[in-house]
């Protein structure tokens, strides 16, 4: 459940409207968001407080920084 999640990790490998809905729910709820992969598929990926990374390992490192400071 996204509502109970501590953060959202988006695997951005192809365009998907479902991911956009979940992304905006998490963003409006103030949850940390990490986008892995292609950062150009959704303009909202470039909002403030969204972490853009290229690899899953970078996402894991970012999760540790944002969820477990």
């Amino acid at each position: 459940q996204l509502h109970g999640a501590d953060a959202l990790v988006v695997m951005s490998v192809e365009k998907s409207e479902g991911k956009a809905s979940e992304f905006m729910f998490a963003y409006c709820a103030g949850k940390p968001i990490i986008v892995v992969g292609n950062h150009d598929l959704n303009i909202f990926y470039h909002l403030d407080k969204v972490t853009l990374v290229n690899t899953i390992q970078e996402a894991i490192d970012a999760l540790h920084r944002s969820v477990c400071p």
Side-chain angles (χ1 to χ4, degrees):
Q1 288 240 16
L2 184 55
H3 182 67
D6 294 326
L8 175 68
V9 177
V10 177
M11 299 301 298
S12 180
V13 293
E14 61 184 42
K15 192 164 182 76
S16 165
E17 299 307 318
K19 285 188 267 191
S21 299
E22 292 170 344
F23 176 94
M24 288 311 294
F25 176 88
Y27 187 83
C28 291
K31 296 182 182 294
I33 299 174
I34 301 164
V35 179
V36 183
N38 186 344
H39 307 138
D40 296 327
L41 292 179
N42 188 320
I43 193 167
F44 297 120
Y45 292 167
H46 299 280
L47 290 169
D48 290 340
K49 300 182 183 178
V50 175
T51 302
L52 303 176
V53 298
N54 294 309
T55 68
I56 291 176
Q57 184 58 55
E58 290 175 357
I60 292 168
D61 295 342
L63 277 171
H64 284 289
R65 287 191 305 271
S66 65
V67 177
C68 309

